[in-house]
Amino acid sequence: MLNAIIVDDEEFARSSLYFLLQENCENVHIAGIAKSVNEARNLLNQHAIDLIFLDIAMPSENGFELIPQAQQANATVIFTTAYDQYALKAIKANALDYLLKPIDIDELKEAVHKAAKYIKLNKAENNRNESLKNLANDLNDRTTSIKKITLPSGQGYRLVDIDDIIHIEADSNYSVFHLANLEKIAVSKILKDYEEILPENRFVRIHKSSIVNLKFVKEYNSKNGLQVVLNNGETITVSRRRASDFFDKIKSYTNIQGEN
């Protein structure tokens, strides 16, 4: 049984999530409901909480202000939010769970299932907390792009600086990250997920099975069709349909680097 709290300033959102959990998630016990971050802090002080359903946009203090207390309580967070493109990108980049309002029953069940599995394993808690810190940093400064992403690795998580990613290749339903230290990390997500997360001015999908970091492009040539040569010596083909986008972005990236 998971002890949970619901944190949301909207009465309808609180009550509807409560009833959805009551009807569909028998392993969740609602230990308290809070209308604000301050009320949520009090609940965390009064109860041992495993799981927090946390709204993002709230008056006075937004949901991210609760992150330090969530970390101290070792509570797993599932964010509940209306659509916010930047916030969702940051949440996805840190491999944290979220539910879009209005909440879908199947998505709720899946999120609770994943949270229960994570809590039971209780693996890599420090890395998970680091992901929460990184998310808070991302959202406190929306003028900059994502700097780090969290990669599920085995039973834990790896926080990776995007500057260290040379390229990402698709391998069936996995994405394999090739890092500057020559390490490879396989993640059970498709390439499109990372295409949506990573800064598009730096990371370019050059093939259905490849995303490259322009920082590591050593050269490109058309000897055997258009190809990109990376700093680690790997050569990757650029598909015809993606060639124009690649040229536009490498030109823009090169111009920006030249100005710095």
Side-chain angles (χ1 to χ4, degrees):
M1 184 66 69
L2 303 178
N3 271 347
I5 60 172
I6 296 170
V7 187
D8 200 307
D9 64 304
E10 297 179 1
E11 183 177 357
F12 176 77
R14 293 193 302 271
S15 59
S16 61
L17 179 53
Y18 174 83
F19 286 114
L20 283 175
L21 288 166
Q22 290 287 95
E23 293 294 320
N24 299 282
C25 303
E26 296 179 354
N27 61 329
V28 176
H29 167 69
I30 304 301
I33 298 177
K35 299 189 293 290
S36 66
V37 168
N38 193 49
E39 286 187 14
R41 288 193 186 102
N42 292 332
L43 289 174
L44 289 175
N45 288 332
Q46 295 167 13
H47 306 279
I49 300 300
D50 302 304
L51 184 59
I52 303 173
F53 293 93
L54 181 59
D55 183 30
I56 294 176
M58 292 185 285
S60 183
E61 294 178 284
N62 67 41
F64 299 111
E65 299 296 324
L66 189 63
I67 286 175
Q69 286 73 35
Q71 291 174 299
Q72 291 171 12
N74 283 332
T76 295
V77 176
I78 297 175
F79 294 97
T80 60
T81 179
Y83 185 72
D84 179 324
Q85 187 174 9
Y86 188 92
L88 290 186
K89 182 179 286 191
I91 291 168
K92 289 178 182 179
N94 286 285
L96 299 166
D97 235 334
Y98 69 93
L99 294 166
L100 278 179
K101 297 177 180 177
I103 293 172
D104 177 82
I105 293 174
D106 290 333
E107 290 177 359
L108 175 63
K109 289 179 180 178
E110 178 62 19
V112 169
H113 174 73
K114 287 162 62 177
K117 185 178 178 181
Y118 169 74
I119 291 166
K120 184 177 180 180
L121 290 170
N122 196 27
K123 297 288 186 180
E125 187 66 51
N126 290 335
N127 287 345
R128 194 67 163 175
N129 284 343
E130 195 66 28
S131 296
L132 281 170
K133 287 181 189 175
N134 193 58
L135 172 64
N137 291 337
D138 287 340
L139 287 151
N140 283 335
D141 187 2
R142 290 176 174 238
T143 61
T144 60
S145 58
I146 302 299
K147 294 185 178 69
K148 295 182 179 181
I149 62 173
T150 301
L151 303 179
S153 176
Q155 300 296 347
Y157 295 85
R158 286 282 303 278
L159 202 62
V160 173
D161 194 317
I162 67 167
D163 285 337
D164 293 331
I165 301 169
I166 298 177
H167 75 104
I168 314 166
E169 66 172 326
D171 184 2
S172 186
N173 290 326
Y174 285 79
S175 295
V176 181
F177 284 73
H178 294 246
L179 305 183
N181 64 0
L182 304 183
E183 185 179 5
K184 296 179 182 179
I185 301 175
V187 179
S188 58
K189 286 188 177 183
I190 60 174
L191 214 56
K192 184 172 175 58
D193 291 334
Y194 293 105
E195 184 181 13
E196 294 173 353
I197 292 169
L198 292 165
E200 62 180 15
N201 63 327
R202 287 271 310 280
F203 290 83
V204 184
R205 184 84 173 262
I206 62 171
H207 191 275
K208 66 179 181 180
S209 59
S210 299
I211 294 175
V212 299
N213 184 347
L214 295 178
K215 172 186 173 182
F216 291 99
V217 173
K218 183 179 180 180
E219 65 177 85
Y220 52 94
N221 59 66
S222 55
K223 293 177 183 176
N224 300 301
L226 184 58
Q227 294 181 321
V228 166
V229 180
L230 302 174
N231 285 356
N232 64 354
E234 292 188 66
T235 299
I236 302 175
T237 298
V238 181
S239 68
R240 289 182 181 178
R241 64 184 293 264
R242 299 182 186 274
S244 177
D245 184 49
F246 169 73
F247 282 127
D248 288 343
K249 288 182 177 176
I250 193 70
K251 181 179 179 181
S252 176
Y253 179 77
T254 304
N255 289 339
I256 291 171
Q257 296 305 305
E259 293 171 2
N260 292 337

